Amino acid sequence: MDALDRLAEPGLDLLARVDTLLAAGAPEGHRLWPLLRRMQVLPGDAVREFLDLHPAPLATAGHVVRRLVRAYDDACATLTDPVAWSGPAASAYDEARGALLRHLDEGPESLVGRLESTAGYADALADWVEGSRLALARALADVLRSAEAVTVLAATRSPGDAGPVGAYVAAEIAARVLGVLGVAYDGAETLLRQWSPSLVETTWREHAVATPRYGGTTRIGR
């Protein structure tokens, strides 16, 4: 349990009250409006959904993917074992073996390269979730002890007396919370742009090998 989990119950209670006050509309021209248009969600629902994001599963996924690299290392070790035969067929086999080794583990476009990129992306996402949860916890802690929170509590106890003041303070709290979440989502989009080129499907790189067949040659590879 992290700081965000500990603040979830009081934070969601406050934000449910904020959402109730905002149901009648935020003040015209308030800085909350661009955030609402972008996020398309009220702060209570936004935080509730974010609570389901945890770094541990992503970090575990990165470890699991890295363990797969060992299996590829074993396959590469087998392919590098010397063969005790010679001739045209042995030469063709050697070329095909070299192509397969390159496909398995040579550079970022190889299978091992893609596995390492996938693991790195999982690690980066885990760090993003951890940092974003901490930033959101800090924002919730700030609003929970703010004067605006006291006003929201009072306004929701007497909804008929909430008036423009209640709407304004609710909008202020909502803007602070959605602002932090907006920064978090910007970070996620940045990560996706940075890692996308390294996560595309790898393909067999062009290679042709001539091997003897019925006195002629045939081509192996694409």
Side-chain angles (χ1 to χ4, degrees), residues 8-10 32 64-65 110 159 180 217:
E9 184 175 352
L32 174 62
V64 170
V65 170
S110 68
V180 171
T217 62

Side-chain angles (χ1 to χ4, degrees), residues 29-67:
H30 195 278
R31 62 193 176 103
L32 174 62
W33 282 111
L35 291 166
L36 286 175
R37 284 191 288 269
R38 180 194 174 192
M39 306 292 285
Q40 297 290 303
V41 66
L42 290 171
D45 291 334
V47 170
R48 190 174 293 106
E49 292 176 5
F50 203 86
L51 282 168
D52 292 331
L53 287 177
H54 293 276
L58 291 163
T60 299
H63 294 321
V64 170
V65 170
R66 285 193 175 88
R67 285 202 296 269

Side-chain angles (χ1 to χ4, degrees), residues 42-132:
L42 290 171
D45 291 334
V47 170
R48 190 174 293 106
E49 292 176 5
F50 203 86
L51 282 168
D52 292 331
L53 287 177
H54 293 276
L58 291 163
T60 299
H63 294 321
V64 170
V65 170
R66 285 193 175 88
R67 285 202 296 269
L68 294 175
V69 173
R70 290 199 290 269
Y72 284 87
D73 289 340
D74 293 341
C76 290
T78 300
L79 287 170
T80 54
D81 288 341
V83 295
W85 44 295
S86 60
S91 298
Y93 168 77
D94 192 54
E95 289 187 43
R97 177 177 62 174
L100 182 55
L101 282 169
R102 287 190 293 274
H103 182 63
L104 289 175
D105 189 8
E106 184 180 279
E109 295 182 4
S110 68
L111 294 180
V112 168
R114 287 294 189 257
L115 283 175
E116 291 174 343
S117 294
T118 301
Y121 182 51
D123 290 344
L125 283 176
D127 291 341
W128 167 77
V129 171
E130 184 175 7
S132 298

Side-chain angles (χ1 to χ4, degrees), residues 108-109 114 117 190-201:
E109 295 182 4
R114 287 294 189 257
S117 294
T190 298
L191 283 178
L192 184 58
R193 286 195 299 271
Q194 289 175 342
W195 285 91
S196 287
S198 302
L199 300 173
V200 297
E201 182 179 358

Side-chain angles (χ1 to χ4, degrees), residues 126-150:
D127 291 341
W128 167 77
V129 171
E130 184 175 7
S132 298
R133 286 178 66 90
L134 179 59
L136 183 55
R138 288 171 174 164
L140 284 179
D142 287 342
V143 298
L144 282 167
R145 60 174 175 250
S146 67
E148 290 90 344
V150 176

